[in-house]
Amino acid sequence: MLKSKTFVKKTRSGGIMKIVREHYLRDDIWCGSEVCTECKQEETVLQKDTYIESNLCSFPHYLLPDTNIVLSQIDILEDPLIKNVIILQTVLQEVRHRSAPIYKRLKDILHDKEKHFYTFTNEHHRETYIEREQGESANDRNDRAIRISTKWYSDHLNNTPTDKRLKVVLLTNDRGNKEKAEESGLLTYRCEEYVKSLIANPELVDRLALTNDDKNEITSSKVLFPEHLPLSRIQSGIKSGTFQQGTFRASRDNYLEATVFVHGEGDDSTEVLIQGLQNLNRAVHQDLVAVEILPLNQWVAPSSVVLQDEGPKEDDVTEEEEEAELKSGPSGAASRKPTGRVVGIIKRNWRPFCGMLFLSQIKEATRHLFTPADRRIPRIRIETRQAATLAGQRIMVAVDGWPKHSRYPNGHFVRSLGSAGDKETETEVLLLEHDVPHQDFSQAVLSFLPKMPWNITEEDMAVREDLRNLTVCSVDPPGCTDIDDALHCRDLPNGNQEVGVHIADVSHFIRPGNAMDLEAANRGTTVYLTGRRIDMVPELLSSNLCSLRSSVERLAFSCIWEINDKAEIVKTRFTKSVINSKASLTYAEAQMRIDDANMNDDTTKSLRGLNRLAKILKKRRIEKGALTLSSPEVRFHIDSETHDPIDLQTKELKETNSMVEEFMLLANISVAQKIYDEFSECALLRKHPAPPPSNYDILNKAAKSKDMVIHTDSAKALADSLDAAQVDGFPYFNTLLRILATRCMMQAVYFCSGMDSDFHHYGLASPIYTHFTSPIRRYSDIIVHRLLAVAIGADSTYPDLMDKHKQSALCNNLNYRHKMAQYAQRASVAYHTQLFFKSRGILNEEGFILFVRKNAIIVLIPKFGLEGTVFFENKDKPSPKLIFNEEAPSLTVEGHSFNMFDKVKVTISLDASNVQHQKIRMSLVEPVISGVSVAPSEPEPEVKRAKLDR
């Protein structure tokens, strides 16, 4: 049966266009139930035996939720107890329009065969499709469609001779919808009353999201926050310039402070400072908010106080009491920043948060505060009857709302992750908090892997250059199994040298648009945690078929140069190839070969040639203004049985590290130029923006404290200034300055050439750059491989590759994933550092002051590459006299002045008093200040130390 839908649409030019769409109605859409004998279905989803113990429904039944139940109670629907659920097409379409994350979660449930969720296409069924009536809203029409489909199912299953007891239960929290459904004789319950009736799993009640009625019950009557403005007022305010729209970013160090990043034209963005509970007005980290800029006389400077929300505040605690610590001294007019207040929320960016329960002191209480692991997220009030069980566990909680009467947002329990402190649990928390996709690869993804045993075919050889005879070798960190790159160097008859960079040909195995490609694009990067790797592509590719291991034939994408004696490029060519690596070396092994005069085999000669050219290339790069920055990287020695860290050292870089880096940079630059020459609108490139002058304030202050001047007007000026910055008798000063300079830098980002005009890479002093050399662990490189393959005629193109808008959207995801991977890696290092100090007791170490705050100094311990805070205010002791000079910056404690880069001696220990936020605690030993410094700790017994240092 054919129906037609007619609607009008406004065109870009302002005209009106009438659109007629054909809508087919069918008789052959089946119900999906095992009990049905009428439908001629080959496969069924809904089970015959659907009995679930319930005080309300003592009979077998299917559930049919409306749209709002799916949107608000997805955690309930995901629970293993809830099975045999009918999801209507109407509901699926509405959910898709209203929430992409929930739509994805619903699709995952529908694909899970264990759950028995069935999609019924009611909009195309002759008996369940309905037209929208005159004067009826789209929402009311959809509610009616849901009721009609529920009625159809009830009648349809009632006609089944096998089981007349099987019923369909409509779940809705909409009062009007429920009343109309009951008038039609339908079995209807609110989600809460149905879940509370389940006998089998009383804990499921904790996963209920609060409805508006429940939210009002929990809060006090006193209004604590200003009302949020409606969206219509916000939009007109933004249009008129009264309000600004931006991303809310809460402070990690001060819970009463945040910054709103207001995006302007192009790369311009303004920062608006928000201080105090009233002005923060219930915004949560990463929300999209509307802010009103306060009058100039109300502008303030960012607080230099480190302030954390240490305990639960009752709703009647006054704002003045809570914020007294924030207003700690006047600030100079020069340091004041545009200050504002949040007037409304444009888009919430809530996700399920990991953390721990802070149990209420009231006996038999069911309402407790949840403390998120991320300090930027406020505490969340939840209702649970299993608090005693959840105490000491890491759990996930979702936010349901934040009423203006409540000091904290309200939420509900989602699931438990395991015991706090357990290594598996802590790693899971770390991955979830940094949004790192880490689930096992699905069967759909794995189905695109090549069948084993895999071999290079004659067809492959016919379209590739055979380079198996070359002396190719790889140089990587110890234990590396995902070898992306290999190198060769040989003399040419004309006196020049041929150098080749050979990169794993991952794009041969991952074809555009298939499930494996989509998964890799979503993951964006491999994430390296301490002792664990989360692959971007399945292990068969990452550690085997794509990995350029020695003594096996592998497919590669080669960049080959002819280079003269002065390391100048004479000729460049790119080719798909087949190689056979002659050696897989570590940086140390390669260095030993280069240094050992007795070794003169082909691989060693190749390494020496590469090393000689790399030194010339690096020297020339630095002369052009490339920066040599520094960040202390650490290496853990892990116990093979317990997997705990037994030693911690800063990584030592060898000449061979630099050798490999130089040729990777050269390959990336060569490929960037080639793909941009061929595809000026859609080349995927990488840029590093120059930092704004204000970023260098702290670096300039640090240099000034040592009577030096750092020139920052160009990368070359900065590089030269850093080279010249030396202090007699203080060799580590230059490293400290470079560490500080690194903190001043902007983040390097991927972008599409057709969407930007500034290509420059500031840190490398290169006019153009991309990533080509690590396709096993970076998806950007796979795209670059595809572009290069099309450019040299080695592969065919596809529409998305040439679409600059899609390329730009992909770059946004890659930048996000790359940033989150970096944060996850740092968090993993921090966690393992804590484990290391847990077993070491208290250590005495020398360090240097990196930053000076109003009430603390931040100290770097070079031996461990570790940063920690020495606080000078302690709740248990009277505070010492502190004088903070913001200009210097310096902090005077009881008459002793602390400046940046001063040498200090501290004790280091693990403070495990807060199980969730364990932290490295540092206390001052030297200089000795009465009442402030502590005595050095005694060394540990030798027996214990010997075991740890093995």
Side-chain angles (χ1 to χ4, degrees):
M1 182 178 162
L2 181 66
K3 279 188 170 283
S4 63
K5 283 182 171 179
T6 308
F7 56 95
V8 290
K9 186 181 175 185
K10 198 172 183 180
T11 63
R12 279 185 181 175
S13 59
I16 299 293
M17 184 165 66
K18 186 177 179 183
I19 295 175
V20 179
R21 281 214 183 126
E22 292 177 342
H23 189 82
Y24 290 90
L25 299 181
R26 302 169 54 158
D27 298 320
D28 59 349
I29 294 171
W30 316 129
C31 70
S33 172
E34 269 181 1
V35 303
C36 179
T37 51
E38 273 187 43
C39 295
K40 301 177 179 64
Q41 46 207 0
E42 290 172 20
E43 250 187 302
T44 55
V45 175
L46 301 164
Q47 295 169 295
K48 186 184 291 185
D49 180 22
T50 68
Y51 189 66
I52 178 169
E53 280 191 280
S54 159
N55 294 327
L56 282 176
C57 310
S58 56
F59 39 80
H61 56 276
Y62 297 149
L63 295 175
L64 196 153
D66 72 2
T67 308
N68 286 326
I69 294 290
V70 175
L71 287 167
S72 63
Q73 307 290 356
I74 189 74
D75 291 320
I76 297 286
L77 297 177
E78 283 176 333
D79 193 274
L81 184 74
I82 305 298
K83 295 180 178 179
N84 294 293
V85 176
I86 299 159
I87 300 293
L88 298 179
Q89 181 187 0
T90 307
V91 170
L92 197 62
Q93 285 171 344
E94 270 199 285
V95 170
R96 185 181 181 182
H97 288 144
R98 286 169 62 181
S99 173
I102 290 176
Y103 177 71
K104 186 184 181 304
R105 286 167 74 181
L106 183 58
K107 291 293 279 184
D108 288 343
I109 304 173
L110 288 164
H111 289 141
D112 183 353
K113 288 188 163 57
E114 300 285 305
K115 292 281 287 171
H116 300 281
F117 271 53
Y118 180 66
T119 309
F120 179 64
T121 47
N122 62 305
E123 297 290 354
H124 288 277
H125 194 290
R126 190 196 290 268
E127 292 178 46
T128 57
Y129 171 75
I130 58 163
E131 297 270 9
R132 184 168 157 187
E133 292 173 354
Q134 200 169 358
E136 187 177 39
S137 72
N139 193 43
D140 287 346
R141 181 262 167 209
N142 288 346
D143 282 348
R144 189 161 59 88
I146 291 166
R147 294 194 298 273
I148 295 282
S149 296
T150 310
K151 181 88 171 79
W152 179 86
Y153 253 105
S154 300
D155 296 345
H156 180 76
L157 294 175
N158 232 1
N159 295 337
T160 308
T162 49
D163 194 347
K164 296 271 186 191
R165 292 175 62 239
L166 184 63
K167 302 262 193 295
V168 176
V169 175
L170 172 63
L171 293 182
T172 179
N173 285 342
D174 183 311
R175 210 168 277 163
N177 196 20
K178 186 173 185 288
E179 284 168 9
K180 285 176 182 168
E182 285 167 343
E183 283 166 18
S184 307
L186 300 177
L187 195 58
T188 314
Y189 295 114
R190 282 173 55 242
C191 187
E192 185 184 359
E193 60 182 329
Y194 177 78
V195 168
K196 284 182 175 174
S197 79
L198 299 177
I199 299 159
N201 190 354
E203 287 85 23
L204 193 58
V205 174
D206 289 352
R207 299 186 73 179
L208 275 168
L210 296 176
T211 60
N212 285 330
D213 295 347
D214 303 325
K215 288 172 194 169
N216 294 336
E217 276 176 40
I218 288 179
T219 58
S220 70
S221 56
K222 185 182 170 190
V223 175
L224 297 176
F225 295 100
E227 189 86 64
H228 284 151
L229 297 180
L231 213 50
S232 56
R233 280 273 309 279
I234 289 172
Q235 283 165 342
S236 60
I238 289 170
K239 219 171 188 177
S240 66
T242 315
F243 305 142
Q244 308 276 325
Q245 171 180 319
T247 307
F248 182 90
R249 294 191 188 161
S251 165
R252 234 180 251 279
D253 298 324
N254 191 329
Y255 75 103
L256 294 174
E257 188 169 277
T259 309
V260 172
F261 281 75
V262 178
H263 305 292
E265 292 294 315
D267 288 343
D268 291 346
S269 64
T270 323
E271 291 183 19
V272 179
L273 186 66
I274 315 285
Q275 271 190 4
L277 280 179
Q278 291 272 314
N279 292 338
L280 294 169
N281 196 8
R282 297 170 285 154
V284 175
H285 184 62
Q286 295 290 15
D287 282 351
L288 190 63
V289 299
V291 290
E292 180 181 40
I293 308 290
L294 296 172
L296 202 61
N297 63 353
Q298 291 179 39
W299 287 15
V300 293
S303 173
S304 299
V305 177
V306 179
L307 192 61
Q308 278 161 0
D309 188 358
E310 294 296 356
K313 308 280 191 304
E314 296 309 318
D315 290 338
D316 56 3
V317 169
T318 67
E319 191 187 0
E320 286 75 22
E321 287 173 55
E322 199 166 341
E323 294 176 15
E325 297 169 88
L326 186 65
K327 301 175 174 68
S328 51
S331 297
S335 56
R336 289 182 186 173
K337 288 192 181 268
T339 307
R341 65 185 187 97
V342 173
V343 294
I345 310 292
I346 297 165
K347 186 171 184 282
R348 287 290 192 190
N349 204 17
W350 293 341
R351 58 179 172 84
F353 298 107
C354 303
M356 291 182 76
L357 213 54
F358 189 103
L359 296 191
S360 168
Q361 301 304 304
I362 303 164
K363 209 177 174 188
E364 305 290 315
T366 56
R367 288 176 190 150
H368 307 271
L369 276 179
F370 162 84
T371 306
D374 187 341
R375 286 192 180 277
R376 294 168 301 186
I377 306 299
R379 285 188 164 92
I380 301 162
R381 190 181 271 115
I382 69 165
E383 193 164 334
T384 175
R385 286 151 193 78
Q386 46 178 335
T389 317
L390 296 178
Q393 290 198 4
R394 292 282 207 168
I395 63 171
M396 283 184 87
V397 161
V399 180
D400 298 324
W402 194 343
K404 62 185 175 185
H405 307 89
S406 174
R407 168 67 180 79
Y408 296 108
N410 297 322
H412 66 273
F413 167 74
V414 175
R415 66 186 171 105
S416 172
L417 299 168
S419 299
D422 173 73
K423 199 180 292 180
E424 287 294 311
T425 305
E426 295 304 325
T427 304
E428 178 74 4
V429 168
L430 191 151
L431 293 168
L432 287 166
E433 280 299 292
H434 293 95
D435 196 15
V436 174
H438 59 285
Q439 64 281 15
D440 291 340
F441 288 103
S442 67
Q443 278 309 121
V445 169
L446 298 175
S447 68
F448 285 97
L449 287 171
K451 303 289 175 278
M452 297 300 284
W454 174 84
N455 289 302
I456 295 171
T457 63
E458 285 181 21
E459 288 84 359
D460 292 330
M461 294 301 299
V463 293
R464 289 173 181 268
E465 201 168 325
D466 187 350
L467 304 179
R468 290 174 294 183
N469 61 319
L470 294 180
T471 307
V472 172
C473 69
S474 61
V475 185
D476 290 284
C480 176
T481 59
D482 51 344
I483 303 170
D484 285 288
D485 53 89
L487 298 143
H488 89 270
C489 176
R490 64 174 178 176
D491 294 332
L492 293 173
N494 64 2
N496 288 339
Q497 285 181 302
E498 179 187 86
V499 173
V501 164
H502 310 278
I503 306 299
D505 190 2
V506 182
S507 62
H508 171 84
F509 296 96
I510 300 181
R511 303 308 295 162
N514 70 22
M516 187 152 54
D517 182 46
L518 297 175
E519 181 66 24
N522 177 42
R523 293 188 178 213
T525 179
T526 292
V527 181
Y528 295 90
L529 304 181
T530 304
R532 183 177 171 190
R533 186 180 84 200
I534 291 107
D535 282 324
M536 181 183 81
V537 298
E539 196 177 11
L540 178 65
L541 295 184
S542 66
S543 295
N544 187 349
L545 302 185
C546 290
S547 185
L548 304 182
R549 303 186 302 185
S550 57
S551 309
V552 287
E553 293 180 357
R554 286 289 178 259
L555 302 179
F557 209 151
S558 300
C559 175
I560 299 169
W561 305 277
E562 183 180 329
I563 297 182
N564 67 20
D565 222 32
K566 295 174 184 169
E568 293 164 339
I569 297 169
V570 177
K571 204 160 51 177
T572 307
R573 67 189 182 90
F574 307 98
T575 179
K576 291 261 185 165
S577 61
V578 179
I579 64 164
N580 189 327
S581 173
K582 304 301 181 276
S584 299
L585 306 171
T586 64
Y587 291 115
E589 288 166 348
Q591 193 66 53
M592 268 166 38
R593 278 178 179 254
I594 290 168
D595 296 342
D596 188 345
N598 298 320
M599 292 193 78
N600 280 302
D601 58 281
D602 287 347
T603 300
T604 306
K605 281 181 191 168
S606 177
L607 287 168
R608 285 189 188 129
L610 289 165
N611 200 37
R612 187 188 72 78
L613 291 168
K615 285 177 180 175
I616 304 170
L617 288 168
K618 184 171 186 176
K619 185 169 179 286
R620 190 180 302 142
R621 216 163 44 78
I622 288 169
E623 282 168 3
K624 280 184 184 171
L627 296 173
T628 309
L629 299 174
S630 180
S631 60
E633 284 191 69
V634 295
R635 171 172 223 102
F636 291 95
H637 293 270
I638 303 283
D639 187 300
S640 56
E641 289 173 21
T642 64
H643 301 292
D644 285 340
I646 51 174
D647 199 6
L648 173 62
Q649 297 165 335
T650 47
K651 286 183 185 173
E652 185 193 344
L653 296 179
K654 300 190 180 300
E655 243 182 34
T656 43
N657 289 74
S658 181
M659 175 190 82
V660 173
E661 185 189 10
E662 283 309 313
F663 286 107
M664 296 305 118
L665 293 175
L666 193 61
N668 287 335
I669 291 166
S670 297
V671 171
Q673 196 59 59
K674 177 70 177 172
I675 62 172
Y676 178 62
D677 289 345
E678 292 289 333
F679 309 110
S680 62
E681 285 291 296
C682 58
L684 190 152
L685 302 174
R686 188 165 175 81
K687 69 170 179 175
H688 182 213
S694 60
N695 276 31
Y696 290 119
D697 287 353
I698 194 73
L699 183 68
N700 290 327
K701 283 179 182 178
K704 196 176 169 187
S705 71
K706 300 290 178 195
D707 297 321
M708 290 182 184
V709 177
I710 298 288
H711 298 286
T712 57
D713 38 326
S714 71
K716 173 76 175 141
L718 176 61
D720 291 344
S721 297
L722 290 172
D723 288 342
Q726 304 290 339
V727 173
D728 292 339
F730 188 2
Y732 198 66
F733 171 75
N734 191 264
T735 307
L736 285 168
L737 213 53
R738 289 180 194 275
I739 288 170
L740 211 54
T742 307
R743 309 281 169 96
C744 301
M745 292 298 132
M746 304 289 282
Q747 187 91 30
V749 289
Y750 297 109
F751 69 100
C752 174
S753 59
M755 304 290 279
D756 211 322
S757 55
D758 174 23
F759 293 8
H760 191 75
H761 197 293
Y762 181 79
L764 297 173
S766 176
I768 194 165
Y769 193 66
T770 193
H771 272 163
F772 163 75
T773 54
S774 296
I776 295 176
R777 60 187 179 88
R778 290 190 304 235
Y779 188 76
S780 54
D781 303 47
I782 292 178
I783 294 292
V784 169
H785 275 229
R786 288 174 182 167
L787 287 163
L788 184 62
V790 176
I792 64 166
D795 206 344
S796 52
T797 185
Y798 58 100
D800 283 9
L801 193 66
M802 298 297 147
D803 185 329
K804 67 179 181 181
H805 297 285
K806 287 194 174 165
Q807 203 78 289
S808 190
L810 173 66
C811 287
N812 290 340
N813 181 56
L814 296 181
N815 290 328
Y816 170 71
R817 292 293 187 207
H818 187 72
K819 183 172 70 177
M820 295 316 277
Q822 280 183 321
Y823 291 163
Q825 282 154 215
R826 283 181 210 159
S828 179
V829 167
Y831 173 63
H832 281 80
T833 304
Q834 289 170 7
L835 288 181
F836 171 75
F837 283 103
K838 192 175 186 178
S839 62
R840 285 296 175 110
I842 301 175
L843 297 181
N844 305 312
E845 291 297 339
E846 286 189 338
F848 298 97
I849 298 175
L850 261 190
F851 301 103
V852 179
R853 298 282 183 258
K854 233 173 209 176
N855 58 345
I857 53 172
I858 291 154
V859 177
L860 172 73
I861 311 295
K863 181 178 174 183
F864 300 129
L866 174 73
E867 271 177 53
T869 307
V870 175
F871 286 98
F872 292 116
E873 289 177 328
N874 193 322
K875 284 182 180 172
D876 311 328
K877 288 191 209 169
S879 290
K881 188 183 177 189
L882 304 177
I883 302 166
F884 178 62
N885 177 348
E886 201 171 350
E887 281 309 301
S890 69
L891 179 65
T892 306
V893 182
E894 293 291 340
H896 187 285
S897 191
F898 289 97
N899 297 289
M900 290 174 74
F901 299 170
D902 282 0
K903 195 173 189 177
V904 291
K905 194 169 188 179
V906 295
T907 62
I908 311 171
S909 61
L910 179 69
D911 177 4
S913 57
N914 181 331
V915 185
Q916 169 154 262
H917 292 129
Q918 295 190 22
K919 52 180 176 265
I920 301 296
R921 187 168 285 289
M922 290 187 184
S923 297
L924 187 71
V925 174
E926 289 175 14
V928 176
I929 302 172
S930 177
V932 174
S933 55
V934 298
S937 71
E938 293 297 314
E940 299 221 357
E942 279 304 311
V943 186
K944 190 170 181 184
R945 285 184 68 85
K947 181 175 182 286
L948 290 166
D949 286 338
R950 70 170 185 268

